[in-house]
Amino acid sequence: MASKLSIGPLPVDQAELRRAYSCFPSGVTAVCALDDEEPVGIAASSFTSVSITPPLVSVCVAHSSTTWPRLRQLPRLGVSVLADGQEALCRSLAAKDRDRFADVPWEPSEDGAIFVRGAAAWLDCSVHSELPAGDHDIVLLQIHRLTADPRNEPLVFHSSRFRRLIALDS
């Protein structure tokens, strides 16, 4: 007979929860747009595909974000799936105390979405809906147009560090 697994006492310790969350690798995205001709954006590692019909993806945004209130009201948002080698660019977009776009090569769409040059994929989106979830909001974004280059390896975030993928040949 198998022994029972002990998974720790309740309530959940926040530091232990962060360690557990860091066990799951994720890609990293930039969610950006023009607001009165000024680029605004955030880095988000909580990006996931949701639906093919309609085409939806999601990101999670902290309630403490001062940038999301600006982004949520814009008609189009550019989601750039960051590529391997864009670690410094990601750190710049996550900064709170300087110009996030100072070292970020980007281009705008006609609708005001901003796309990061060299990214593995670009998704031109609008906010579909938002769902409050604890200290974050789950934001569903509807994809209107996209481009992807699967030859660009994605930037990966795991255990609080940037990493790269390696192929395992079978």
Side-chain angles (χ1 to χ4, degrees):
M1 180 171 180
S3 61
K4 291 186 178 177
L5 177 65
S6 173
I7 60 169
L10 290 177
V12 175
D13 175 69
Q14 287 186 3
E16 187 62 25
L17 185 58
R18 286 182 193 274
R19 277 192 295 277
Y21 286 169
S22 77
C23 291
F24 185 76
S26 66
V28 185
T29 61
V31 180
C32 308
L34 286 173
D35 184 17
D36 290 330
E37 303 301 316
E38 178 187 359
V40 294
I42 57 175
S45 62
S46 58
F47 171 84
T48 191
S49 58
V50 174
S51 172
I52 299 290
T53 307
L56 299 173
V57 294
S58 70
V59 293
C60 295
V61 181
H63 290 164
S64 60
S65 173
T66 56
T67 306
W68 179 244
R70 292 179 68 186
L71 287 169
R72 79 162 28 110
Q73 49 90 26
L74 298 173
R76 290 295 175 94
L77 303 175
V79 177
S80 300
V81 177
L82 299 183
D84 184 31
Q86 292 187 313
E87 300 88 349
L89 181 149
C90 182
R91 284 188 186 92
S92 182
L93 287 169
K96 297 192 183 315
D97 58 351
R98 62 186 177 95
D99 177 2
R100 292 179 178 178
F101 288 85
D103 300 316
V104 176
W106 58 274
E107 55 189 82
S109 72
E110 292 177 7
D111 297 325
I114 287 180
F115 301 104
V116 175
R117 288 190 194 124
W122 289 349
L123 309 172
D124 183 357
C125 301
S126 62
V127 175
H128 178 274
S129 57
E130 295 182 62
L131 174 69
D135 58 2
H136 281 65
D137 287 325
I138 300 169
V139 181
L140 292 178
L141 300 171
Q142 182 157 359
I143 302 168
H144 301 283
R145 294 178 301 169
L146 62 92
T147 189
D149 186 353
R151 295 171 298 174
N152 278 352
E153 294 288 334
L155 182 61
V156 178
F157 194 70
H158 174 255
S159 196
S160 300
R161 294 179 52 200
F162 292 111
R163 310 224 183 219
R164 62 177 36 113
L165 296 178
I166 60 168
L168 299 176
D169 297 324
S170 41

